[in-house]
């Protein structure tokens, strides 16, 4: 069974930084597109950032210039460096792994940004 385990969430003041990690197991990590999504209370889950197997990245407009996604295929881990955090970044952040029609999810990690 595929496992995606997120870590690194927490409470931070506005303007601060956090680094999320997602460790994957039981998949061929290097061939999957890895992504970070988030879901705030009362809102739909939205894509934050993704990195393909070829290391191409894309970002939501709301996080461009502040967040950076990266992957380490040797460690089966994907990261999300979040800088200049804003209260509107508060959400549960989920890691995803996708290839074709298959999509896997982690359980999420809470990020809370206080004003």
């Amino acid at each position: 069974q595929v496992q995606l385990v997120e870590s690194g969430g927490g409470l931070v003041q506005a303007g601060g930084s956090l680094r999320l990690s997602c460790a994957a197991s039981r998949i061929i990590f290097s061939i999957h597109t890895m992504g970070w999504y988030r879901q705030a209370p009362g809102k739909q889950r939205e894509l934050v950032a993704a990195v393909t197997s070829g290391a191409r990245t894309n970002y939501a407009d709301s996080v461009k210039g502040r967040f950076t996604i990266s992957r380490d295929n040797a460690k089966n881990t994907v990261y999300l460096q979040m800088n200049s955090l804003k209260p509107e970044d508060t959400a549960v952040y989920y890691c995803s792994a996708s290839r074709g029609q298959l999509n896997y999810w982690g359980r999420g990690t809470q990020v809370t940004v206080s004003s």
Side-chain angles (χ1 to χ4, degrees), residues 37-94:
Y37 289 72
R38 67 186 180 188
Q39 187 166 19
K43 294 188 177 181
Q44 289 189 329
R45 191 173 297 189
E46 62 175 359
L47 175 68
V48 176
V51 56
T52 69
S53 58
R56 288 182 301 169
T57 59
N58 68 289
Y59 296 90
D61 287 343
S62 59
V63 306
K64 283 180 181 176
R66 299 189 298 123
F67 291 10
T68 303
I69 189 170
S70 61
R71 64 189 298 159
D72 185 336
N73 289 340
K75 296 182 178 179
N76 284 6
T77 301
V78 62
Y79 305 97
L80 185 68
Q81 178 66 44
M82 305 186 295
N83 298 328
S84 303
L85 282 160
K86 304 175 181 180
E88 51 263 43
D89 294 319
T90 295
V92 178
Y93 283 70
Y94 296 91

Side-chain angles (χ1 to χ4, degrees), residues 20-43:
L20 305 184
S21 300
C22 171
S25 59
R26 302 189 180 100
I27 62 169
I28 305 174
F29 181 82
S30 62
I31 65 174
H32 285 74
T33 291
M34 301 301 298
W36 287 97
Y37 289 72
R38 67 186 180 188
Q39 187 166 19
K43 294 188 177 181

